[in-house]
């Protein structure tokens, strides 16, 4: 539970309230003014991937400090409608997406044009051009950067999983027992924090590549502006007489795959289950009128909720500083 907030801490935190509120209310859809054609997009050449897992290892090592450290026992939810999702005892699992594993490689064995092939598909957040997780997050915890990547602010997320329900690939994963909900009505609000690939946004800000790209020994991924990556994808698909995924799915994504085998064939051969994204997305979330309408209605709420969350965190830090001073 958070320490008692004294009058001095309240005033100290309140000094930034106005600025915080203005910033936070701009969070939902913050990248709408950017040019989608210039969004940073990654192109995967599936004909090159050998399933070595170097990308998975690099991702885990880079984000080790971002992984959740849950508090146990978990608060009992009232009503008990939100299930506990605890991956803390299986942190080393790499065969599915978890809060501790933001990238997994799916192996598929198929027969196409009379030839048996084994293909490997690195799977993580698709970073949609128009991400439903961002548009429909009621608390403003999911944001889209100006370069097109989407990420979840673990300091604001309450773990309600609206992002996963909105995601056509069910990608975000929840860890119970961590996050803001522990300080705000832990029995009633949320149930943890949602986690997914953030495209190494800190590295991108420093002009570096995401860790998975630098670690790949086979040059599977290329990163650049979306318009440029689309041209490369089309040229590569023509060269190998292949197929492209990500041009239209959910309105287009900032992840493009090129494969020598049709994606419906790959999908039929791929493993299915929790934490294993389907290559046949369940509908176009942002194309649904009710979702777009909901997003418009929720945008102000999300902004104010994000502001409230930031204010609460500021007050909490100020109280801790006061205790140690």
């Amino acid at each position: 539970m958070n320490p008692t907030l004294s009058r001095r801490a309240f005033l100290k935190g309140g000094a930034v309230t106005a600025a915080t509120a203005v910033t936070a209310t701009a969070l939902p859809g913050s990248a709408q003014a950017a040019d989608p054609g210039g969004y940073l997009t990654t192109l995967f050449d599936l004909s090159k991937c050998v399933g070595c897992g170097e990308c998975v290892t690099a991702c885990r090592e880079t984000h080790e400090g971002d992984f959740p450290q849950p508090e146990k026992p978990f608060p009992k939810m009232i009503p008990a409608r939100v299930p506990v999702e605890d991956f803390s005892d299986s942190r080393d699992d790499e065969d599915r997406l978890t809060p501790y594993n933001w990238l997994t490689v799916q192996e598929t064995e198929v027969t196409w044009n009379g030839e048996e092939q084994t293909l490997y598909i690195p799977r993580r957040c698709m970073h949609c051009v128009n991400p439903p997780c961002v548009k429909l997050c009621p608390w403003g915890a999911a944001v889209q950067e100006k370069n097109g990547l989407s990420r979840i602010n673990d300091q604001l997320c309450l773990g309600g999983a609206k992002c996963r329900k909105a995601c056509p690939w069910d990608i975000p994963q929840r860890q119970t027992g961590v996050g803001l909900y522990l300080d705000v009505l832990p029995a009633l609000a949320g149930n943890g924090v949602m986690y997914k690939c953030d495209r190494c946004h800190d590295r991108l800000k420093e002009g570096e590549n995401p860790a998975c790209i630098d670690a790949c020994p086979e040059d599977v991924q290329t990163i650049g502006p979306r318009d440029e990556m689309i041209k490369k994808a089309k040229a590569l698909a023509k060269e190998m007489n292949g197929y492209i995924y990500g041009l239209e799915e959910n309105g287009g994504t900032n992840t493009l795959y090129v494969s020598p085998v049709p994606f419906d064939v790959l999908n039929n051969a791929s493993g299915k289950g929790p934490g294993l994204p389907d290559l046949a997305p369940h509908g176009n979330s942002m194309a649904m009128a009710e979702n777009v309408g909901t997003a418009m209605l929720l945008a102000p709420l999300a902004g104010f909720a994000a502001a409230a969350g930031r204010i609460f965190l500021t007050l909490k830090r100020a109280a801790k500083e006061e205790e140690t001073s």
Side-chain angles (χ1 to χ4, degrees), residues 131-316:
C133 60
V134 172
K135 311 302 180 184
L136 301 179
C137 176
W139 309 112
V143 297
Q144 185 181 35
E145 303 284 2
K146 289 184 179 180
N147 62 11
L149 72 84
S150 59
R151 64 185 182 88
I152 298 172
N153 185 336
D154 62 353
Q155 297 297 303
L156 293 178
C157 180
L158 291 173
K162 292 292 189 297
C163 55
R164 182 166 59 197
K165 291 178 182 177
C167 176
W169 297 275
D170 300 321
I171 283 174
Q173 301 294 312
R174 176 169 53 205
Q175 174 60 48
T176 299
V178 64
L180 188 60
Y181 93 106
L182 294 174
D183 294 296
V184 184
L185 301 174
L188 301 173
N191 196 4
V193 171
M194 307 301 294
Y195 293 90
K196 71 174 190 66
C197 162
D198 64 3
R199 293 308 282 132
C200 291
H201 70 100
D202 289 334
R203 290 173 61 95
L204 288 176
K205 288 177 182 177
E206 297 298 323
E208 301 176 4
N209 285 331
C212 59
I213 294 181
D214 283 347
C216 179
E218 303 296 332
D219 196 28
V220 172
Q221 292 189 64
T222 307
I223 189 169
R226 190 168 193 269
D227 283 348
E228 181 181 326
M229 292 301 101
I230 288 175
K231 290 179 182 178
K232 287 181 177 292
K234 290 181 176 179
L236 180 60
K238 183 177 181 181
E239 179 183 329
M240 71 168 69
N241 194 27
Y243 306 83
I244 304 174
Y245 186 91
L247 288 178
E248 305 295 339
E249 282 74 15
N250 201 45
T253 65
N254 293 314
T255 299
L256 300 175
Y257 294 103
V258 176
S259 166
V261 174
F263 286 94
D264 58 342
V265 175
L266 290 180
N267 189 58
N268 290 336
S270 298
K272 305 293 191 299
L276 294 174
D278 201 319
L279 279 166
H282 53 79
N284 184 331
S285 296
M286 292 312 297
M288 297 170 61
E290 61 269 29
N291 280 1
V292 174
T294 300
M296 293 175 65
L297 292 173
L298 287 180
L301 171 62
F304 285 117
R310 290 178 183 273
I311 293 166
F312 179 86
L313 291 173
T314 300
L315 293 174
K316 183 178 177 181

Side-chain angles (χ1 to χ4, degrees), residues 61-73:
E61 290 177 350
T62 300
H63 293 285
E64 186 175 3
D66 301 320
F67 293 155
Q69 303 297 329
E71 298 179 17
K72 298 182 180 182

